Amino acid sequence: MRSLGQRPVTGSDEDPRVAELRTAVSRLRRQLAVLPADFPDRAIAEDELAALAAMAAGGLPEIPRLRSSLLLIAGAIGSMSALTRGLSQVRAAVDLFGEPPRA
C-alpha cells in the first residue's frame, strides 16, 4: 500500500520519514553485504551507511549530514548496477527531509 502514499504504522510517535530512512538504509546495507565484488571504496560506503543508520536510530537527523553521507555513498558505490535500486531508495528517503536551509 506504500505506493498509494500510505505511511508505515509503527505503533509510536516516530517520524515516518525516519522509519523510511531506516528501512532504506537497512535494505542497501543488506544488498551491499551480499555483493561478492570487492571495490576500492566499499569501506566508505559501509561506514556512511552505518552513520545513516545511527542517525535514524537517534531520532531526527541533521539534513546537511544526511546529504553529505548520501553523496559519499553514491560516490563510493559508483555505477554498480546491483546497488542502483537500493541507492535510489536511500536517496528518496533522504529527500523526504527536504532541502537544508540556505546560508
Side-chain angles (χ1 to χ4, degrees):
M1 288 301 215
R2 279 198 158 147
S3 62
L4 298 176
Q6 294 182 352
R7 301 276 186 195
V9 177
T10 60
S12 69
D13 292 332
E14 180 182 44
D15 187 328
R17 299 173 302 171
V18 174
E20 190 70 28
L21 178 63
R22 185 175 25 262
T23 300
V25 167
S26 176
R27 188 174 297 126
L28 183 56
R29 287 178 90 180
R30 285 191 309 271
Q31 291 171 350
L32 184 58
V34 299
L35 190 68
D38 198 20
F39 51 96
D41 293 331
R42 184 181 193 125
I44 294 170
E46 291 170 344
D47 289 348
E48 289 303 319
L49 283 167
L52 284 178
M55 283 186 264
L60 195 60
E62 296 177 30
I63 295 170
R65 179 69 174 109
L66 283 177
R67 296 205 174 278
S68 175
S69 287
L70 178 62
L71 286 173
L72 287 169
I73 294 165
I77 289 174
S79 60
M80 299 191 73
S81 61
L83 301 174
T84 301
R85 184 170 186 202
L87 181 59
S88 294
Q89 291 170 341
V90 170
R91 179 179 180 220
V94 169
D95 285 345
L96 292 174
F97 290 90
E99 291 292 323
R102 303 225 181 225

